[in-house]
Amino acid sequence: AQTVTQSQPEMSVQEAETVTLSCTYDTSESDYYLFWYKQPPSRQMILVIRQEAYKQQNATENRFSVNFQKAAKSFSLKISDSQLGDAAMYFCAYTTSGTYKYIFGTGTRLKVLA
Amino acid sequence: DTGVSQDPRHKITKRGQNVTFRCDPISEHNRLYWYRQTLGQGPEFLTYFQNEAQLEKSRLLSDRFSAERPKGSFSTLEIQRTEQGDSAMYLCASSLGRGKISYEQYFGPGTRLTVT
């Protein structure tokens, strides 16, 4: 069965610093997609970044980038120049080609300290 | 189009009552998903539709749960004879269903259900 593990229930980062959130997954599939979603308090989930498994290049979106290690089944999110607005729950999610449903990790709560 | 909307945002009900939630997806999206999220956990998949066809249901979706998507537009999720264990946030999401971004899901704000 496919699983997604986020081993850091909570992380803190100083404003303007860099933080890395970890995610590992287990799958026997070769064609899959990985996502990071942000869920601010009492607000809806927003897609932060996406990575296709067939792409070797790590995805980047402005201050957000991933370190995708396919062999290690690791998919970490790096947030550079952290801002107060980055404070939220961050969920790692996985889906395979053709199934469409997401499997989520348990989330990491990110606190940004002023 | 402002995104996925859900109604109501909050629902408090007594154990044993029936409740129905509505989700309106992004208009051009043909796939619609329901998830359940309990406190401190990630969302868990319940079911999904492609147009009006319900293509997959999780084992989490007991006989008391039913979902519909008539005409492939909005969807409803009904829970009959609610139990305290049904208390959770019910999330709806939609996706385009074609092209490179077909796997990106866009989430609504959720309906928080409290069963007393």
Side-chain angles (χ1 to χ4, degrees):
Chain A
Q2 293 116 353
T3 58
V4 176
T5 302
Q6 294 180 250
S7 58
Q8 306 154 317
E10 191 170 293
M11 293 282 286
S12 296
V13 62
Q14 206 71 33
E15 198 176 2
E17 297 295 307
T18 296
V19 65
T20 298
L21 309 184
S22 301
C23 173
T24 59
Y25 58 95
D26 188 21
T27 184
S28 57
E29 302 287 336
S30 59
D31 187 13
Y32 53 88
Y33 301 79
L34 296 162
F35 305 86
W36 279 98
Y37 279 84
K38 169 185 177 181
Q39 188 176 40
S42 301
R43 295 182 60 186
Q44 64 204 77
M45 280 212 286
I46 304 165
L47 177 65
V48 174
I49 199 164
R50 175 192 68 183
Q51 176 78 44
E52 295 91 338
Y54 62 85
K55 288 188 177 178
Q56 292 186 333
Q57 188 172 7
N58 289 326
T60 62
E61 287 288 342
N62 301 313
R63 298 183 296 108
F64 299 88
S65 61
V66 299
N67 184 4
F68 174 48
Q69 301 290 324
K70 191 172 183 178
K73 295 180 182 174
S74 171
F75 180 62
S76 60
L77 174 70
K78 186 171 83 171
I79 306 174
S80 304
D81 185 26
S82 297
Q83 301 174 0
L84 294 177
D86 295 333
M89 283 291 289
Y90 284 81
F91 291 99
C92 179
Y94 159 99
T95 189
T96 58
S97 172
T99 63
Y100 305 112
K101 66 183 180 185
Y102 282 5
I103 298 171
F104 285 90
T106 52
T108 296
R109 181 175 302 281
L110 177 66
K111 295 185 177 180
V112 181
L113 308 174
Chain B
D1 190 17
T2 55
V4 179
S5 61
Q6 293 186 245
D7 184 69
R9 295 290 304 276
H10 303 274
K11 179 70 176 180
I12 300 174
T13 190
K14 294 190 177 192
R15 189 177 54 188
Q17 298 294 305
N18 298 344
V19 294
T20 299
F21 311 141
R22 176 180 171 126
C23 170
D24 286 272
I26 293 171
S27 58
E28 64 267 28
H29 286 186
N30 66 355
R31 294 201 186 108
L32 186 148
Y33 312 79
W34 285 99
Y35 294 85
R36 181 171 68 187
Q37 185 178 21
T38 53
L39 205 60
Q41 299 296 317
E44 296 175 292
F45 170 78
L46 292 178
T47 188
Y48 105 86
F49 293 83
Q50 181 161 316
N51 299 313
E52 66 274 9
Q54 187 174 19
L55 295 188
E56 186 173 349
K57 294 197 300 184
S58 163
R59 285 172 294 176
L60 292 174
L61 216 63
S62 75
D63 291 345
R64 297 183 298 104
F65 287 71
S66 63
E68 294 183 339
R69 192 183 182 198
K71 301 178 183 178
S73 56
F74 70 91
S75 176
T76 57
L77 178 67
E78 181 183 16
I79 309 174
Q80 296 182 326
R81 304 181 303 282
T82 52
E83 302 173 355
Q84 288 189 319
D86 297 332
S87 295
M89 177 75 86
Y90 290 84
L91 297 172
C92 177
S94 68
S95 70
L96 190 57
R98 61 181 179 274
K100 290 183 180 179
I101 58 171
S102 62
Y103 295 95
E104 287 183 12
Q105 295 183 20
Y106 295 82
F107 285 81
T111 294
R112 182 168 296 284
L113 173 66
T114 303
V115 182
T116 61

